[in-house]
Amino acid sequence: MKKSLLALFLALSLLLSGCVNGGGLNDGSSGPDSQEPVPFGFDVLDKQQPHKILVLGNSFIWTSDVDGQLLELASANGVRLEVTRHAVGYSQAAGHYQDIFVQQLYPEVFENDYDVILLQTIYQFNDYLAVGDFLTAMDRYGIEAQLLLFPAENEGGYAENAKADYPKARLANWKQLLFEVKYNLGFGNALNFDDDIRHSSPLAGFAGAVLLYYRMFAELPDATELADRMLGAYYDQIPGETEAEKRASLDAVCQKARAQVEWDDSLYAES
C-alpha cells in the first residue's frame, strides 16, 4: 500500500509540470507580477535586482551545499545573487551574534550590503534569545536586511519559538521540510551522511535550496539543471524505479517546499 501511494504521488507530480521538468510552476499563482497575494511572511525580493545573502550556520551548511545549490538555482533563473558563507562546525546562533556584532567580522553588514542574513544553529535557549539580540542590534545599527531563520534537521523547536515570539524574524523551515521529504516522499537515509551526527546530504541541500528560493522570490525556480546533477550523482538514492519517476520525486520535493512556505505563512499570520 505504501509503495502504491508513493507511485500515485509521483504520477501526480508529473502532471503538475513542476520545477524539474522544464518549468518553475510560474503559473501566475504567486510572485510579484501575480494578481494573487504573494506569501506574506517575507518581503519578497525583486528578481530583476542583484542581491547579497550572508549565511550564518555550521557544518550542515557545507555538507549539504545548500548555499551553493541556491546559487545554481539563481544563475539558472537569471537572478544575480551573491552568497557569503560563515559556517563553522559546532557553532550556534549566540556565537554568530558575537561574530557579527562584537567581533564585527563582516563590517559590510553595517553598510547594508546584505538583503538577507540567514541564521541557522538555533539549538538552545541562549540561541533563541540571540534571535532577539540580532533583531535589536539590527534596529540599533539601522541594518535593513531581513533575518531569515533556517533550522537544520538536528535542531529542536527553538527556531519556531523565535519566529512566534519575534515577529520581525522570518522563517524557512528546512527542518520540517526534510521531515516531509524523508518520511512522506520516501527519501529516507538519502538525506543524511552515515556519520556520527547524521549530517545533511546534498539531496537535503537540494530541498533547502528550493525552499530558500521560493521563500525569497515567491515562486518556484526552474530547477531542471540542478535536478539533472542530482540524478547524475545520486540516482540510486532517489525514490522511483525509472528516470521519469525519480525526476518526479525531485519535483515532489519542490511541491513540498512551496507547501512548507505557505503553511508557515498561514501558521504565523498574526506575526
Side-chain angles (χ1 to χ4, degrees):
M1 175 63 71
K2 185 175 181 181
K3 185 175 180 180
S4 298
L5 289 174
L6 177 59
L8 177 60
F9 194 94
L10 295 181
L12 289 173
S13 295
L14 280 172
L15 295 174
L16 287 174
S17 183
C19 72
V20 304
N21 293 307
L25 281 170
N26 302 333
D27 53 6
S29 61
S30 63
D33 298 325
S34 172
Q35 298 301 314
E36 298 296 327
V38 299
F40 47 76
F42 189 89
D43 295 336
V44 177
L45 302 181
D46 183 354
K47 287 178 58 180
Q48 306 305 314
Q49 299 298 321
H51 299 288
K52 295 179 66 174
I53 300 173
L54 176 62
V55 176
L56 305 176
N58 61 16
S59 53
F60 279 75
I61 298 294
W62 38 269
T63 63
S64 66
D65 190 34
V66 62
D67 53 339
Q69 294 188 65
L70 176 61
L71 279 173
E72 286 188 55
L73 289 178
S75 178
N77 287 269
V79 177
R80 291 168 290 171
L81 187 65
E82 181 178 334
V83 175
T84 299
R85 175 198 286 182
H86 181 63
V88 181
Y90 298 100
S91 62
Q92 295 181 208
H96 284 304
Y97 175 85
Q98 293 290 318
D99 290 343
I100 301 302
F101 293 104
V102 179
Q103 300 296 325
Q104 297 193 7
L105 297 182
Y106 295 92
E108 58 269 27
V109 167
F110 302 92
E111 299 169 3
N112 276 316
D113 276 4
Y114 293 105
D115 300 283
V116 178
I117 298 175
L118 187 151
L119 182 62
Q120 189 230 327
T121 69
I122 307 167
Y123 286 96
Q124 299 177 350
F125 184 67
N126 283 346
D127 301 313
Y128 157 86
L129 295 176
V131 174
D133 293 339
F134 259 92
L135 292 167
T136 298
M138 290 168 71
D139 282 343
R140 182 168 67 246
Y141 289 106
I143 297 169
E144 299 173 358
Q146 298 185 78
L147 183 67
L148 179 59
L149 310 183
F150 187 64
E153 188 181 5
N154 70 333
E155 298 184 33
Y158 285 110
E160 291 93 332
N161 292 340
K163 168 58 189 166
D165 293 342
Y166 300 112
K168 286 187 177 181
R170 307 309 192 187
L171 177 66
N173 202 333
W174 190 28
K175 178 188 71 174
Q176 184 59 38
L177 174 61
L178 293 182
F179 179 91
E180 293 288 332
V181 172
K182 177 176 287 188
Y183 297 108
N184 293 331
L185 297 185
F187 277 72
N189 292 331
L191 299 185
N192 303 94
F193 285 109
D194 187 18
D195 56 22
D196 291 342
I197 302 179
R198 302 289 293 164
H199 279 106
S200 289
S201 74
L203 284 173
F206 173 84
V210 174
L211 176 72
L212 288 172
Y213 190 98
Y214 188 76
R215 171 78 288 173
M216 293 189 295
F217 299 107
E219 63 182 33
L220 284 177
D222 181 346
T224 306
E225 293 180 7
L226 182 56
D228 288 344
R229 188 163 72 80
M230 291 295 106
L231 285 166
Y234 305 102
Y235 189 87
D236 291 337
Q237 299 180 55
I238 298 171
E241 296 183 2
T242 66
E243 181 176 337
E245 289 178 347
K246 290 175 183 293
R247 192 173 293 276
S249 288
L250 293 176
D251 190 63
V253 173
C254 299
Q255 309 296 333
K256 286 289 186 182
R258 179 168 71 168
Q260 185 63 53
V261 168
E262 293 173 353
W263 166 258
D264 288 328
D265 280 353
S266 175
L267 183 63
Y268 297 104
E270 296 303 316
S271 297

